Amino acid sequence: MASRVNTSFTLIPNQKYRRSNRRSSCSSNTLDSNSLPLSTLGNFKALPLEIFQIILRYLSVKDISMLSMVSKTISQHIINYISTSWGSKRLLLQDFHNLELPGRRQESTILEHYRSLGLLFKRCTLLLPTKERLKYIHKILAETLTAGWDELECHRVYNFLCELTNLSRKMQTVVCSKPGSARKLELRIRLFCRNVLLDHWIHQSDSAFWLTRILKPWPMVNQARLLYVIFGPISPQDVVPREWLLENNARLLILSGNNICFTFMASKAVNGRAIELARLIVFLALVCEKELYCMDWAVKMMQKVCKVFSTPVERNNFLQSVANAFACVIMEMLQAVM
């Protein structure tokens, strides 16, 4: 019969035991070294998974987060525990208003609980890549806190977030000021909308819902400005979105649909910006050619815009500007090739 191994000390790989434990180590040497592989679960290996999860119920959230750093295997068991109904009910408090705590003490207790919970998520996913960590945390929160919410509840959440972060007031400041005059505020709005409301959804319909909530209160010109701030390219040296290439503007107009495209172009025609409009017409044609769209669409859109001009003289000047714009773009292309 094999002798029992003293488990009163922690086994450390590649390190000798202390002298006080020499007797135990000598007796253990009689066993085959391969017959006792070191388990990352330690003494928890002897426990069924159900017992391990029962033990977790008696630990505080902070203690569970400390335990999650013991080994990768234990961390995985804790992640599985959080995903169970028992774990989620205990850790992800949902019935805030029924906690039997007076006033400020209740608020501070809830806040402290979720601080500890955030630390637990951070520690139990420590070995995962950042992208995978964010996906896991979003999955847990979506399945427990917002699962089954209807559209009205989502509206209330958005209104609450706007009130809590003063999002509407910040957007008002940005859309009513010149581009770049509130650079840090533009970046904050961009990061909040993208990281909190838009980017993490799997289905485009969910992103479209929140984007609709962001844009709906504003007139079209401010909607365009917000879209530019939220999705426009950013310079590495600055937070202000860089000016788009005219080809990209033309592609966005085509994808926006006939009504928005015509409204945008008619506005330029009415405001006397015929030269800009002519260059835009050229790039609409180029995008149609590149993307294999029907060229008849660009021709019909140009004909429709021509009707916006009130006099034949303005219309002829616009057509001449289109011809000149085609010539300039062709020369630019030839110079780039040469």
Side-chain angles (χ1 to χ4, degrees):
M1 180 176 179
S3 61
R4 294 183 180 178
V5 180
N6 188 353
T7 58
S8 62
F9 54 87
T10 303
L11 295 176
I12 304 176
N14 301 325
Q15 185 173 344
K16 295 181 179 179
Y17 305 140
R18 293 187 301 175
R19 182 172 301 175
S20 59
N21 293 321
R22 180 175 296 171
R23 183 175 180 180
S24 300
S25 64
C26 291
S27 61
S28 64
N29 286 336
T30 60
L31 300 174
D32 185 2
S33 59
N34 293 327
S35 64
L36 289 175
L38 294 176
S39 171
T40 56
L41 282 175
N43 292 336
F44 286 112
K45 184 180 181 182
L47 295 177
L49 185 60
E50 293 80 2
I51 303 299
F52 178 78
Q53 293 185 355
I54 290 175
I55 292 175
L56 293 179
R57 297 179 195 174
Y58 292 92
L59 299 179
S60 66
V61 180
K62 286 185 177 180
D63 291 337
I64 295 176
S65 69
M66 291 291 293
L67 181 62
S68 68
M69 295 191 296
V70 170
S71 71
K72 185 176 181 180
T73 307
I74 289 182
S75 176
Q76 186 60 49
H77 281 343
I78 291 176
I79 288 176
N80 295 336
Y81 169 71
I82 297 172
S83 302
T84 64
S85 58
W86 284 102
S88 61
K89 285 179 181 178
R90 183 208 165 184
L91 298 175
L92 300 170
L93 305 178
Q94 298 180 17
D95 202 4
F96 298 147
H97 55 282
N98 285 336
L99 293 178
E100 297 179 357
L101 295 171
R104 291 182 177 272
R105 186 183 168 195
Q106 173 179 341
E107 296 179 1
S108 61
T109 302
I110 294 173
L111 184 61
E112 184 61 32
H113 173 82
Y114 274 94
R115 282 176 179 166
S116 301
L117 188 62
L119 186 61
L120 169 59
F121 284 149
K122 179 180 179 181
R123 286 174 172 173
C124 69
T125 60
L126 194 62
L127 299 178
L128 298 176
T130 301
K131 190 174 182 180
E132 296 301 322
R133 297 173 75 182
L134 294 176
K135 282 184 178 180
Y136 167 73
I137 294 173
H138 172 259
K139 176 178 179 292
I140 292 296
L141 296 179
E143 288 180 350
T144 54
L145 295 183
T146 60
W149 284 16
D150 58 24
E151 187 169 319
L152 179 59
E153 289 173 317
C154 293
H155 281 283
R156 289 174 179 170
V157 169
Y158 178 76
N159 293 335
F160 171 77
L161 289 176
C162 287
E163 182 179 353
L164 182 67
T165 61
N166 290 323
L167 183 62
S168 299
R169 181 180 59 81
K170 293 175 182 177
M171 287 183 174
Q172 179 76 31
T173 302
V174 166
V175 298
C176 294
S177 58
K178 294 182 178 180
S181 60
R183 297 176 178 179
K184 292 184 178 179
L185 194 56
E186 288 183 357
L187 182 61
R188 288 174 185 169
I189 291 174
R190 177 190 180 94
L191 293 178
F192 181 84
C193 292
R194 295 283 292 272
N195 295 344
V196 177
L197 299 174
L198 299 173
D199 283 357
H200 53 273
W201 297 105
I202 299 175
H203 303 292
Q204 290 186 351
S205 58
D206 294 325
S207 299
F209 169 82
W210 293 105
L211 185 60
T212 302
R213 292 299 303 161
I214 294 171
L215 300 178
K216 189 174 182 180
W218 306 100
M220 182 179 292
V221 61
N222 291 340
Q223 289 180 5
R225 177 74 182 280
L226 287 174
L227 284 173
Y228 197 83
V229 169
I230 295 172
F231 295 106
I234 294 183
S235 168
Q237 295 83 18
D238 208 344
V239 299
V240 181
R242 292 181 295 180
E243 184 177 359
W244 281 17
L245 297 175
L246 199 52
E247 180 179 336
N248 291 335
N249 286 331
R251 183 173 280 105
L252 177 61
L253 282 175
I254 292 175
L255 296 176
S256 298
N258 293 344
N259 292 335
I260 293 179
C261 184
F262 172 73
T263 302
F264 180 81
M265 297 172 70
S267 175
K268 288 186 177 295
V270 171
N271 293 323
R273 301 166 71 176
I275 297 178
E276 292 181 24
L277 180 59
R279 284 185 61 83
L280 183 58
I281 289 286
V282 172
F283 279 93
L284 284 175
L286 289 176
V287 172
C288 288
E289 178 64 25
K290 281 186 177 182
E291 304 296 336
L292 301 179
Y293 297 140
C294 182
M295 193 62 68
D296 289 344
W297 176 88
V299 174
K300 291 179 180 178
M301 183 61 67
M302 181 176 173
Q303 292 173 346
K304 192 175 180 181
V305 170
C306 285
K307 296 179 182 179
V308 176
F309 294 98
S310 55
T311 63
V313 175
E314 291 179 347
R315 191 177 302 113
N316 291 333
N317 290 338
F318 168 67
L319 294 174
Q320 185 61 47
S321 297
V322 172
N324 294 337
F326 265 109
C328 290
V329 170
I330 291 172
M331 289 301 298
E332 290 172 1
M333 291 181 176
L334 286 176
Q335 290 175 359
V337 172
M338 295 175 63

